Amino acid sequence: MPKILIVGGGYAGFYTAWKLEKWLRSGEAEVTMVDPLPYMTYQPFLPEVAAGSVEPRHAVVSQRRHLKKTEVITATVTKIDHAAKTATIQPAIGDAWELSYDIVVVTAGAVSRTFPIPGVADLAIGMKNIEEAVAVRDRVLTNFDRAANLPAGPERQRLLTFTVVGGGFAGIEIFGELRSLASELIKYYPTISFEDTHFHLIEAMNRIMPEVSLKTSHWVIKHLAERGAEIHLETQLTSAVDGKIEMSNGESFHSDVIVWTAGVMANPVLKNTDLPLDERGRLHVGADLRVRNGDDVVPDAWGAGDVSAVPDLTGGGVGGFCVPNAQHAVRQGKLMAKNVVGAMRGDAPAEYFHKNLGAVAGIGLYHGVFQAGPFAVKGLIAWFMHRGYHGLAVPSWERKTRVFGNWILNFLLRRDIVSLEARVTPRAAFAEFAARPKA
């Protein structure tokens, strides 16, 4: 049987494997998927995970539970030698080994793109995986606990000042969700008032959320300002050393939580391959998702998702390519499976074409925005549209049921506000009192 290797288990990789299981005949091919994490993260839920509206485990999909015919390897692909059709697999524990394949599907995804701003690498946290979202939630809740015991002053203000860098969809959603969480927390802390909490979003461009109209983006800015959140446009973060936020407009303040959402870049693992890349380090593929070297097709190599520069045939993409988001990655993964199976059977692959029908975002509990062409919906209705869309889009009915059930329970019982930040040092309580041999 031909061996199909899928590098990466995110949206595109997971859906490729899921649909290959559906369309491959018994014994037609052997599918292996390699990813350092044993689950696919549904990233649109990360802001709600950070705000306590979605339980962390409900925002991820187990690869082994849902991929019943695929060999799942929890490890990292560190090198791809397509000329020899081998990949180097590095597990978390143990020695690396080489895995041979006949067909490779590269869906390694993207990582946070940062700039050499002092302090960012040391203190900021991204919003690309579930662990980051959980850490942000615990930090916000813990900061309220600590600030409640402090008198008014610089330390208390630092603990209650939260900063988001990047005004795209990801940045605005996490910004709005954290503002919503903080507003709800105040009722549980008599010593903390609404005026004690400070939220800042820093955006280098002259607008936010380029996926919506300028008029709608202005409404979002005004709406968030009314909720006590400040957005700094045409402003760059110049330093975050020791938590002191310094901006290009001359303003500065101290912040304990700094969330970075200012862009992504292709997974650097591609640098260790002999596959053709573009100037931004993305895999060069055609609209049919086959890897291309110029105009020539690279045999038995495919790519999709954020790691690939997929042409946007609708003409709506940035620079002529599909933007790196979940909508494209999921659909490309499904098409990838069809094309790979079709190519094995001698059929011509289909080209990827998806015209964006609209953009929807949640900006806090009961607040949302939807844009489709010139038509926009704002407020509660848009928030229901956001939850409905993503609740149905998360893979498998098992996960959909858990997510909707979580939302219903939160509506009836309110969201949980317990911080589990001590989880990062689980042995501390035991070790403190554990008996030790006498010297």
Side-chain angles (χ1 to χ4, degrees), residues 55 86 97 113 203 209 222 257 277 292 314 380 386 429:
E55 284 302 306
T86 61
W97 75 88
R113 180 193 63 185
E203 170 52 49
M209 304 175 77
K222 180 181 177 182
V257 177
L277 310 179
R292 293 178 182 271
T314 69
L380 181 63
H386 170 263

Side-chain angles (χ1 to χ4, degrees), residues 93-161:
I93 300 175
D95 298 328
W97 75 88
E98 286 195 348
L99 181 69
S100 62
Y101 63 82
D102 298 295
I103 300 169
V104 66
V105 174
V106 182
T107 54
V111 299
S112 294
R113 180 193 63 185
T114 59
F115 306 102
I117 301 171
V120 167
D122 302 313
L123 297 176
I125 187 168
M127 195 52 57
K128 288 289 294 176
N129 59 53
I130 198 70
E131 293 81 5
E132 291 171 329
V134 173
V136 168
R137 177 194 180 197
D138 285 342
R139 176 69 68 83
V140 172
L141 295 172
T142 298
N143 280 10
F144 267 77
D145 290 333
R146 292 172 176 169
N149 297 322
L150 294 175
E155 179 61 14
R156 176 185 167 104
Q157 183 168 325
R158 182 185 71 85
L159 290 172
L160 296 177
T161 299

Side-chain angles (χ1 to χ4, degrees), residues 337-353:
K338 285 186 177 180
N339 281 352
V340 169
V341 173
M344 291 172 58
R345 298 172 183 172
D347 299 329
E351 293 187 329
Y352 177 73
F353 183 95

Side-chain angles (χ1 to χ4, degrees), residues 11-292:
Y11 295 121
F14 179 85
Y15 272 92
T16 298
W18 209 19
K19 296 304 178 181
L20 281 174
E21 291 190 353
K22 176 181 178 181
W23 290 317
L24 283 171
R25 303 186 188 106
S26 178
E28 191 172 8
E30 180 182 303
V31 181
T32 300
M33 185 172 73
V34 181
D35 190 272
L37 298 173
Y39 49 78
M40 185 212 85
T41 302
Y42 190 73
Q43 292 179 358
F45 280 158
L46 294 184
E48 292 204 51
V49 170
S53 295
V54 172
E55 284 302 306
R57 284 183 177 83
H58 299 172
V60 298
V61 181
S62 169
Q63 295 166 353
R64 297 179 188 276
R65 176 168 181 173
H66 295 284
L67 300 178
K68 305 184 188 312
K69 302 176 185 177
T70 302
E71 180 186 7
V72 175
I73 299 177
T74 304
T76 302
V77 173
T78 57
K79 182 180 178 181
I80 299 175
D81 183 353
H82 191 60
K85 290 194 173 181
T86 61
T88 303
I89 312 298
Q90 177 61 64
I93 300 175
D95 298 328
W97 75 88
E98 286 195 348
L99 181 69
S100 62
Y101 63 82
D102 298 295
I103 300 169
V104 66
V105 174
V106 182
T107 54
V111 299
S112 294
R113 180 193 63 185
T114 59
F115 306 102
I117 301 171
V120 167
D122 302 313
L123 297 176
I125 187 168
M127 195 52 57
K128 288 289 294 176
N129 59 53
I130 198 70
E131 293 81 5
E132 291 171 329
V134 173
V136 168
R137 177 194 180 197
D138 285 342
R139 176 69 68 83
V140 172
L141 295 172
T142 298
N143 280 10
F144 267 77
D145 290 333
R146 292 172 176 169
N149 297 322
L150 294 175
E155 179 61 14
R156 176 185 167 104
Q157 183 168 325
R158 182 185 71 85
L159 290 172
L160 296 177
T161 299
F162 309 95
T163 305
V164 174
V165 184
F169 254 54
I172 292 297
E173 286 194 312
I174 184 64
F175 191 56
E177 289 288 352
L178 291 183
R179 174 67 269 185
S180 178
L181 172 61
S183 297
E184 184 172 342
L185 287 175
I186 290 168
K187 69 183 70 172
Y188 301 107
Y189 295 87
T191 59
I192 299 177
S193 67
F194 181 87
E195 291 72 23
D196 292 329
T197 61
H198 307 278
F199 283 79
H200 297 270
L201 184 139
I202 303 171
E203 170 52 49
M205 306 298 290
N206 62 356
R207 62 162 299 173
I208 60 170
M209 304 175 77
E211 297 89 345
V212 305
S213 68
L214 188 60
K215 180 180 178 181
T216 301
S217 73
H218 287 165
W219 177 88
V220 173
I221 293 174
K222 180 181 177 182
H223 173 76
L224 287 169
E226 292 171 349
R227 291 167 53 195
E230 186 175 358
I231 295 178
H232 307 269
L233 295 178
E234 295 185 277
T235 304
Q236 296 180 350
L237 176 66
T238 58
S239 177
V241 175
D242 297 328
K244 183 180 181 182
I245 302 297
E246 297 182 9
M247 300 184 291
S248 58
N249 61 7
E251 296 181 39
S252 65
F253 53 87
H254 285 85
S255 177
D256 187 62
V257 177
I258 306 168
V259 181
W260 181 275
T261 64
V264 297
M265 65 179 184
N267 194 317
V269 70
L270 286 185
K271 297 177 182 178
N272 298 323
T273 75
D274 55 354
L275 297 171
L277 310 179
D278 70 359
E279 66 280 359
R280 294 177 57 185
R282 298 174 299 181
L283 192 63
H284 189 268
V285 302
D288 57 8
L289 306 181
R290 291 185 293 182
V291 176
R292 293 178 182 271

